[in-house]
Amino acid sequence: DGGVVLSAPGVLARYNDAGEQQWIIDVGGEFVETALGVAPNGDILWATNDWDGGTNDFDRYDGDGNLIGPVDVPFVSSFAYPWGIEWIGDDMVLGCFDENDDGWDAPTLLRVGPNGEELLRKSNPNVGAQSFAINAMGTVLFSGPLVAAEDGGVLGTLTPSSGGIQGATGMGDDFL
């Protein structure tokens, strides 16, 4: 309808094309990190991680802001949370923190099929930034490394001349 859905610390809101607020969900908390995604069917996926309260939620909402229910993700840790949500066809691809094989929380690339099954899991404790995007070729920008979404193979690394990658989006075969 030309509107926009915004996510900010502890808040999810929808505005129409005139900028008027249609609805708002406020979970409160100054220290609530959020991630936002839209499923192929139009459902809104919203993940919250409350550093102060120690709670993590990953829920599905309809376009009117009504809670449909939790998103089914095969996380290992009960403290896992996504910081990037993208799609390749019907598969959800997450940049998240989850427990790795050594029992430590680490940045993890997780691809989940439409029935909630784990298709790919790749952890890398050496990446620190939380940039995450997928281009049209299925290449994932995962905090610097470029990774194939099919098998998790490392294709290369983006290394800025100054600072770190703070955000990105896939545009065609490129990243911006």
Side-chain angles (χ1 to χ4, degrees):
D1 64 8
V4 64
V5 175
L6 299 175
S7 177
V11 176
L12 179 68
R14 183 176 187 144
Y15 297 85
N16 65 17
D17 58 355
E20 299 164 332
Q21 186 178 80
Q22 301 299 294
W23 51 261
I24 187 168
I25 299 166
D26 186 346
V27 297
E30 181 180 347
F31 304 104
V32 177
E33 292 181 295
T34 64
L36 178 66
V38 178
N41 69 356
D43 288 349
I44 299 164
L45 306 181
W46 191 42
T48 59
N49 176 43
D50 185 347
W51 285 90
D52 194 35
T55 60
N56 301 326
D57 293 302
F58 190 19
D59 293 316
R60 182 180 299 267
Y61 295 85
D62 68 16
D64 294 322
N66 298 307
L67 177 65
I68 296 170
V71 178
D72 185 23
V73 179
F75 289 129
V76 175
S77 169
S78 61
F79 298 106
Y81 66 93
W83 38 264
I85 307 167
E86 294 280 351
W87 294 87
I88 296 178
D90 289 332
D91 296 346
M92 181 173 45
V93 183
L94 302 174
C96 58
F97 282 103
D98 198 6
E99 194 172 298
N100 64 15
D101 292 338
D102 296 326
W104 298 96
D105 283 341
T108 301
L109 174 65
L110 184 59
R111 185 170 180 171
V112 180
N115 297 318
E117 71 275 19
E118 179 180 306
L119 302 174
L120 173 70
R121 175 181 292 272
K122 185 172 185 113
S123 295
N124 186 342
N126 297 316
V127 295
Q130 294 184 358
S131 55
F132 182 78
I134 300 176
N135 68 14
M137 293 174 31
T139 301
V140 180
L141 172 61
F142 181 59
S143 297
L146 298 171
V147 179
E150 283 299 316
D151 61 7
V154 177
L155 305 172
T157 301
L158 291 179
T159 307
S161 58
S162 176
I165 301 169
Q166 297 300 312
T169 189
M171 183 172 205
D173 294 342
D174 298 321
F175 293 102
L176 299 177

